[in-house]
Amino acid sequence: MPIDDTTLAIYQWPTIKASDVAKYLQIPHRRIKHYVELDIVRITEKLPGIGNSRMFTPTNVIEIILLDRLEGIGITPKRLARISDRLSDAVKGFLKN
């Protein structure tokens, strides 16, 4: 079965550098790094090495926005880490529909 352009686009999501995410969302880079270190936002390469940026998928970016807003209303990162699986599933479910 041949793959059409729409299906191909779904499987070739772009990745976004951490510095760009911080810049465009106006979220401190350190906060994004903290989310990754606490395993709240799961990326494939947590420690990319010297000179390489962490790369985020659009799903990761939506998770970061949600986490930042939740932290803004007083929910601590440690508490967010405890519910990170449910948050991840909710974002993935939202994107499916």
Side-chain angles (χ1 to χ4, degrees):
M1 177 164 95
I3 297 177
D4 63 4
D5 290 339
T6 305
T7 306
L8 186 60
I10 290 171
Y11 290 105
Q12 292 184 343
W13 283 101
T15 55
I16 306 153
K17 291 190 327 184
S19 59
D20 291 336
V21 172
K23 177 181 168 184
Y24 296 128
L25 298 179
Q26 297 180 352
I27 297 173
H29 188 270
R30 178 70 188 114
R31 185 176 301 162
I32 294 170
K33 183 178 176 187
H34 191 63
Y35 293 153
V36 172
E37 289 170 350
L38 287 176
D39 207 31
I40 301 172
V41 175
R42 292 176 181 95
I43 59 175
T44 55
E45 195 68 40
K46 280 189 187 180
L47 301 170
I50 297 172
N52 297 321
S53 295
R54 288 177 178 83
M55 300 300 283
F56 296 95
T57 64
T59 303
N60 295 140
V61 174
I62 292 172
E63 289 173 348
I64 291 168
I65 293 168
L66 178 62
L67 293 167
D68 182 60
R69 300 308 182 262
L70 290 171
E71 192 173 348
I73 61 170
I75 301 173
T76 64
K78 285 184 181 182
R79 184 174 245 171
L80 291 170
R82 282 187 253 147
I83 61 169
S84 65
D85 288 336
R86 285 182 274 169
L87 287 173
S88 241
D89 291 342
V91 169
K92 289 174 186 168
F94 173 75
L95 291 176
K96 262 186 167 178
N97 296 328

